[in-house]
Amino acid sequence: MASKIVDVHTHVYPPQYVSILKTRSKVPYVRDTVPGQPSRLIILPGEDDPSSESTAKGRPIGPEYYDINKKIKFMNTHGIDISVISLANPWLDFLDRDEAKGLARDVNDAINSMCDAHPGRLFAFGALPLSAPSEVIVEEIHRLPSLKYTRGIIMGTSGLGNGLDDPELDPVYQALEQENLTIFLHPHYGLPKEVFGPRGADYGHVLPLALGFPLETTIAVTRMILSGVFDRFPKLSVLLAHSGGTLPFLAGRLESCILHDAHYSGPEAKVESRRSVWDILKTNILLDAVVYSELGVRAAATASGADRVLFGTDHPFFPPLEGAEGEEEQKWLSVTTNYKAIGDAFGPDKEQAEAVLGGNAIRLLRLTTD
Amino acid sequence: MASKIVDVHTHVYPPQYVSILKTRSKVPYVRDTVPGQPSRLIILPGEDDPSSESTAKGRPIGPEYYDINKKIKFMNTHGIDISVISLANPWLDFLDRDEAKGLARDVNDAINSMCDAHPGRLFAFGALPLSAPSEVIVEEIHRLPSLKYTRGIIMGTSGLGNGLDDPELDPVYQALEQENLTIFLHPHYGLPKEVFGPRGADYGHVLPLALGFPLETTIAVTRMILSGVFDRFPKLSVLLAHSGGTLPFLAGRLESCILHDAHYSGPEAKVESRRSVWDILKTNILLDAVVYSELGVRAAATASGADRVLFGTDHPFFPPLEGAEGEEEQKWLSVTTNYKAIGDAFGPDKEQAEAVLGGNAIRLLRLTTD
């Protein structure tokens, strides 16, 4: 029997989440811009520049974002056996403190029900009500294992508002570690617009998506490392989007800068003795393989081990270049690029390629319902 | 005869440059903080927080920064045959428009004279008077080939003040291409402090150095690519510090985001047809091997070709952990880490390792005086 193919990086907005986005007038929101054209989804900070009447704000949103049957068709077209679906950014980050608890339950239940409707094809990462009080977040974490298909949670880089090195997150990390739920750490907030220079907008969405996103992820996980999260919670498991942003490539420099900080900071050096970056990469970090290059997959596999790298697609983002027409039957360039990168990275070693394509996810995320 | 080892990433401040830094009271400057302790060099933006009386501002500066004999001793200790020395950041970026021209000449002449005093051991990257009018910059570029040991120029990411995608830089790129002078692109400005979060200062210099620097380089070279610099100047040669920041790892994502931008930006998509990132990496980009990991060296060699990756040390930064005592005789961990990374990356293929250690630099930068 051929080994299974598992997509760990694939997003969905349940219909009730889309309804909320439609009622909003601030980012994130959905709006109809041009009659006869698809609605547009405006989610990124700064994407809603009020001085611009551009119709290119955000991205077109169609049923591929909320109709789970579209996901199944996409999986069938691309030979994907199992998808671990997750709420797309910005998750529940923007909710008022009072509504977060209820909506988190609703969304997590809705995503779990989607999985239930396609048994064996779908598992899920839940979402946390991070704007609610800490005890509400922890309560939802302890409820998640009761949802048959939920294996972790997806989370952005802001945490409770101060980033992932915030000591106030410790109860959250503790509960996740205790319940053996993986954190899928995903970017959303990018970098401030000014770092891309006065001509940044000339390049459309390229700089924020190609660089801002992975750099955000890299900074976030580095702050977790430096603040000792993985020393305090040595069994915490974190799946990093886009092959870790750039963590595999920068791990050597990071470790070197930590070792040398006493020289620069003198007696005030504050990064205390802690586990090495390489150790954390091989013990606590999982990397998806959404990196669009052979050298990226290789670097990821060297950094975390080929047994800790997991195929993903980023569906429904990066759809076919030819537009929505016939989208369901055609293969997506973004997906075939990542398939090819895995094949090329491992060459004749089919076992490693098969592990990355599915075996690792099944083992590490326990994707069985027995 | 054993092949030669060449260090392409090694900095110096000529004495007249240090004198200027000593007269200044704004970043960049040199000051004496604690009696009996070495002077400190404060160069990075934001490093001079006036609200802090910290003695850990900046870094200690000793003769290793300005005494070329210290460089030669360091080279001897580490088996380095040739160094291509360059002014350290922030170069001449901060000078007034009127003084830039004269000081650029002085510095370039001084660095060339250092090389002349150690024939065969030293070559140089010059520095440009970027705050001067464009014709002054171009004039200095055309003068540089008259300096026997100068093979290129070192440059930060700000260009004339608006970054390296500024069309006003075209005459500069044109003159550099014409004179066959390599740009050594090096970070200095990092990222705004807020991207490292409210606890950023808890980690000393780690986040700005380990992440801010390489991310700055990556953004800068990407802006060059997207604005078509390498289309307009197809023979321009750019050596990227720290193995390209993170460009090798992100090249796949960057190329994918460019291809998909029409979907996101719609009819307003502006990134016009241009050469692929991979093509530019293999044709116009050189990468140093200052990446502190085997996987980083491999990624660099895959991205640009093992014939375009060049050994470097970043001397006199990242000195031995044990302090300045006996520094000259002991090997530096930062250097041995990069040596080992190259050895491990190429394994039994000694020819490739030797090329990266020196052969590539000798060939690409024409390090002979015949």
Side-chain angles (χ1 to χ4, degrees):
Chain A
M1 200 184 78
S3 63
K4 289 199 167 152
I5 293 184
V6 180
D7 178 1
V8 301
H9 188 154
T10 178
H11 300 297
V12 66
Y13 289 125
Q16 58 268 63
Y17 187 91
V18 175
S19 303
I20 290 171
L21 294 184
K22 283 189 170 167
T23 65
R24 290 174 54 87
S25 57
K26 290 190 304 191
V27 170
Y29 65 94
V30 168
R31 72 166 173 188
D32 299 313
T33 41
V34 182
Q37 294 290 312
S39 303
R40 291 190 76 91
L41 170 68
I42 292 94
I43 49 171
L44 297 182
E47 214 170 37
D48 187 35
D49 178 358
S51 68
S52 153
E53 268 313 304
S54 167
T55 55
K57 283 181 190 177
R59 55 208 54 70
I61 177 171
E64 69 280 9
Y65 280 81
Y66 45 80
D67 179 352
I68 197 65
N69 294 309
K70 297 273 181 185
K71 179 84 69 191
I72 298 291
K73 283 187 181 158
F74 166 84
M75 291 165 62
N76 293 342
T77 299
H78 292 88
I80 295 165
D81 298 288
I82 300 173
S83 286
V84 187
I85 56 177
S86 53
L87 188 63
N89 48 312
W91 316 287
L92 310 174
D93 285 10
F94 58 92
L95 294 178
D96 289 339
R97 180 184 167 97
D98 295 333
E99 61 184 346
K101 176 179 177 171
L103 195 68
R105 292 184 70 114
D106 289 353
V107 162
N108 289 330
D109 289 350
I111 292 181
N112 192 66
S113 297
M114 288 173 169
C115 301
D116 212 18
H118 299 275
R121 300 296 304 276
L122 300 175
F123 288 84
F125 292 114
L128 297 180
L130 289 169
S131 51
S134 181
E135 56 274 18
V136 172
I137 308 173
V138 168
E139 189 188 327
E140 182 63 7
I141 293 171
H142 289 307
R143 191 183 76 89
L144 289 178
S146 72
L147 301 179
K148 187 172 174 186
Y149 299 96
T150 301
R151 294 293 182 271
I153 56 102
I154 186 166
M155 196 169 172
T157 62
S158 73
L160 308 176
N162 289 315
L164 302 186
D165 53 357
D166 181 355
E168 301 287 320
L169 275 168
D170 273 10
V172 173
Y173 292 137
Q174 185 172 33
L176 290 166
E177 185 186 50
Q178 190 183 333
E179 298 292 359
N180 199 9
L181 291 167
T182 291
I183 298 174
F184 180 16
L185 175 56
H186 193 288
H188 169 72
Y189 297 96
L191 293 177
K193 204 160 58 167
E194 64 265 27
V195 308
F196 299 124
R199 295 189 59 189
D202 286 3
Y203 319 123
H205 294 62
V206 173
L207 289 170
L209 282 182
L211 305 187
F213 263 34
L215 306 190
E216 178 194 357
T217 306
T218 308
I219 293 169
V221 65
T222 302
R223 287 168 59 184
M224 291 177 78
I225 294 170
L226 294 174
S227 65
V229 168
F230 297 106
D231 298 83
R232 296 197 297 288
F233 307 102
K235 294 191 171 166
L236 197 64
S237 168
V238 181
L239 168 62
L240 298 177
H242 315 118
S243 298
T246 64
L247 184 63
F249 191 77
L250 291 180
R253 182 172 176 87
L254 176 58
E255 187 66 22
S256 176
C257 285
I258 294 170
L259 289 172
H260 285 85
D261 195 52
H263 170 75
Y264 288 102
S265 298
E268 299 192 9
K270 286 172 186 160
V271 181
E272 287 158 29
S273 87
R274 34 86 252 172
R275 297 169 54 202
S276 90
V277 178
W278 299 111
D279 175 37
I280 291 169
L281 270 163
K282 290 211 157 55
T283 314
N284 300 88
I285 303 290
L286 311 175
L287 300 170
D288 75 23
V290 183
V291 67
Y292 309 96
S293 71
E294 172 189 349
L295 78 84
V297 173
R298 273 179 199 256
T302 306
S304 284
D307 56 346
R308 303 177 67 78
V309 178
L310 319 173
F311 174 72
T313 63
D314 219 347
H315 180 263
F317 299 97
F318 304 102
L321 310 177
E322 296 71 19
E325 223 55 57
E327 222 169 70
E328 285 163 18
E329 286 74 36
Q330 65 174 292
K331 294 212 176 182
W332 293 25
L333 175 68
S334 56
V335 178
T336 56
T337 302
N338 280 317
Y339 266 128
K340 181 171 187 315
I342 294 167
D344 291 348
F346 299 111
D349 189 338
K350 291 222 166 161
E351 250 180 63
Q352 285 201 326
E354 285 177 0
V356 169
L357 287 169
N360 292 340
I362 291 172
R363 182 184 82 254
L364 293 162
L365 299 173
R366 312 180 308 282
L367 303 184
T368 56
T369 51
D370 305 335
Chain B
M1 198 184 80
S3 62
K4 290 202 164 145
I5 293 185
V6 180
D7 178 1
V8 300
H9 188 155
T10 179
H11 301 296
V12 66
Y13 290 125
Q16 58 267 64
Y17 186 89
V18 175
S19 304
I20 290 173
L21 295 183
K22 284 188 171 168
T23 64
R24 290 173 53 87
S25 56
K26 289 190 304 190
V27 171
Y29 65 95
V30 167
R31 71 165 174 190
D32 299 312
T33 41
V34 182
Q37 296 289 314
S39 302
R40 292 190 76 90
L41 170 67
I42 292 95
I43 48 171
L44 297 181
E47 215 169 37
D48 187 36
D49 179 357
S51 68
S52 153
E53 267 313 304
S54 167
T55 56
K57 284 180 190 177
R59 54 205 60 67
I61 176 171
E64 69 279 10
Y65 280 82
Y66 44 82
D67 180 351
I68 197 66
N69 294 308
K70 296 275 181 184
K71 179 82 69 192
I72 299 289
K73 283 187 181 156
F74 165 84
M75 290 166 62
N76 293 342
T77 299
H78 292 88
I80 295 165
D81 298 288
I82 300 172
S83 286
V84 187
I85 56 177
S86 52
L87 188 63
N89 46 314
W91 315 286
L92 310 174
D93 285 11
F94 56 92
L95 294 177
D96 289 340
R97 180 185 169 96
D98 295 333
E99 60 184 346
K101 175 179 178 173
L103 195 68
R105 291 184 70 112
D106 289 352
V107 163
N108 289 330
D109 289 350
I111 293 182
N112 193 65
S113 297
M114 289 174 169
C115 301
D116 212 18
H118 299 274
R121 298 298 302 276
L122 299 176
F123 289 84
F125 292 113
L128 297 180
L130 291 170
S131 50
S134 180
E135 56 273 20
V136 172
I137 309 173
V138 168
E139 189 189 328
E140 182 63 7
I141 293 171
H142 289 307
R143 191 184 75 92
L144 289 178
S146 72
L147 301 179
K148 187 171 175 188
Y149 299 96
T150 300
R151 295 292 183 271
I153 56 102
I154 185 166
M155 195 171 175
T157 62
S158 71
L160 308 176
N162 289 315
L164 303 187
D165 53 358
D166 181 356
E168 301 289 319
L169 276 167
D170 274 9
V172 174
Y173 293 137
Q174 185 173 32
L176 290 166
E177 185 186 50
Q178 190 183 335
E179 297 291 358
N180 200 10
L181 292 167
T182 291
I183 298 175
F184 180 16
L185 175 56
H186 193 289
H188 169 73
Y189 297 95
L191 293 176
K193 204 160 61 169
E194 65 264 26
V195 308
F196 299 124
R199 297 189 59 190
D202 286 3
Y203 318 124
H205 293 62
V206 175
L207 288 171
L209 281 183
L211 305 187
F213 263 33
L215 306 190
E216 178 193 356
T217 307
T218 309
I219 293 169
V221 65
T222 302
R223 287 168 59 185
M224 290 177 78
I225 294 170
L226 294 175
S227 65
V229 168
F230 297 106
D231 298 83
R232 295 196 297 286
F233 307 103
K235 294 193 172 165
L236 197 65
S237 166
V238 181
L239 167 63
L240 298 178
H242 314 119
S243 298
T246 64
L247 184 62
F249 192 78
L250 291 180
R253 182 172 176 87
L254 176 58
E255 186 66 23
S256 176
C257 285
I258 294 170
L259 289 173
H260 285 85
D261 195 52
H263 170 75
Y264 288 103
S265 298
E268 299 193 8
K270 286 172 190 160
V271 182
E272 287 158 27
S273 90
R274 31 88 252 171
R275 295 169 56 201
S276 92
V277 178
W278 298 111
D279 174 36
I280 291 168
L281 270 162
K282 290 209 157 59
T283 314
N284 300 87
I285 303 289
L286 309 176
L287 300 170
D288 76 23
V290 184
V291 66
Y292 309 97
S293 71
E294 174 190 347
L295 77 83
V297 174
R298 273 179 200 257
T302 307
S304 286
D307 56 344
R308 304 177 66 78
V309 177
L310 318 174
F311 174 71
T313 64
D314 220 344
H315 180 263
F317 299 97
F318 305 101
L321 309 178
E322 296 72 19
E325 224 54 55
E327 221 169 68
E328 284 164 17
E329 286 74 34
Q330 66 175 291
K331 294 213 174 179
W332 294 24
L333 175 68
S334 55
V335 178
T336 56
T337 302
N338 280 317
Y339 267 127
K340 181 172 185 316
I342 294 167
D344 292 348
F346 299 110
D349 190 339
K350 292 221 165 163
E351 250 181 64
Q352 284 201 329
E354 285 177 359
V356 169
L357 286 169
N360 292 339
I362 291 171
R363 182 184 81 253
L364 293 161
L365 299 174
R366 309 179 310 280
L367 303 184
T368 55
T369 51
D370 307 334

